[in-house]
Amino acid sequence: MRRRRGIVACAVLACALAGCGGDGAESFIDPQDMARLREVLSKEPRLPDGFTARPEQAWRMPFGAVDRNCRMLLEPAAGRAPGQALTAQAAVSYQGDGLGEQAGVGLARYAGEVAEEHLDALATALESCRAVRTSSGTDLRLRRLPVEDAGDESVGARLQGRLHGYPYALDVVLSRVGDTLVSVVHMGMNQVDTARTRKVVDAAIAMAGA
């Protein structure tokens, strides 16, 4: 448990020092909110069978520079949620037993009703993100991923195609639970099981509501 708490604590403290804002806006880090997120992500989540219960460091995007709108969708799960009115943030990842399977979870808490505004902006970014392409053989096409009854509101998408020349798929789901933005990515080689993505989302939402 000590090692698990240390990972999450480092993620939260790094966010506090760096600002963790996608838009460079000033954040107001609340030590009590930070402590709550640290505690939430230190507990064993109700993840689908085959995932490790021990959280690891925040998920990292496996490709380089991409379209700004596509990057906006993925950054929150990597611990870089929008910074305006941010009070606390933490992100971790979990390894699955599928080929190349990994899930990333990010929680970002905001003052006032700003979480709703940020989710609206992310939904707009999703509409503008069409594909992720790089010179290293990455070509992922985006399509909407229907998500119902996930938190207070949610949006989702699937990126599928090739990553560095290999078959790859990634689901991204962004939800709001009260004043908290919940970000989930679930990826794997070849295919990603939508039902497993939903179970990861439900586990992350349960963390946010704890």
Side-chain angles (χ1 to χ4, degrees), residues 24 31 36 60 69 87 95 97 103 107 124 143-144 147 164 173 202-203:
R36 291 190 196 100
R60 296 180 62 185
N69 291 299
T87 63
Q95 295 296 325
D97 59 2
L107 301 180
T124 300
R143 65 176 176 83
R144 292 294 297 265
V147 184
H164 307 310
V173 178
D202 288 344

Side-chain angles (χ1 to χ4, degrees), residues 35-101:
R36 291 190 196 100
L37 291 189
R38 181 173 64 246
E39 181 65 24
V40 164
L41 290 179
S42 294
K43 297 177 180 178
E44 293 187 2
R46 297 193 295 269
L47 293 170
D49 292 341
F51 276 100
T52 59
R54 174 180 293 174
E56 300 181 1
Q57 65 182 1
W59 173 73
R60 296 180 62 185
M61 282 187 284
F63 28 76
V66 298
D67 173 82
R68 177 179 178 273
N69 291 299
C70 298
R71 181 173 290 277
M72 280 181 64
L73 293 178
L74 300 172
E75 284 187 330
R80 294 188 295 275
Q84 182 185 5
L86 183 72
T87 63
Q89 179 171 210
V92 295
S93 64
Y94 304 91
Q95 295 296 325
D97 59 2
L99 180 61
E101 186 178 29

Side-chain angles (χ1 to χ4, degrees), residues 62-66 132-140 162-165:
F63 28 76
V66 298
V132 172
R133 297 187 181 92
T134 70
S135 59
S136 61
T138 294
D139 187 353
L140 303 171
R162 292 192 171 271
L163 174 69
H164 307 310

Side-chain angles (χ1 to χ4, degrees), residues 176-198:
R176 180 180 65 83
V177 179
D179 61 358
T180 303
L181 178 66
V182 181
S183 309
V184 168
V185 291
H186 176 215
M187 68 229 64
M189 307 306 291
N190 298 315
Q191 293 290 332
V192 170
D193 186 341
T194 303
R196 283 174 71 78
T197 296
R198 180 54 196 256

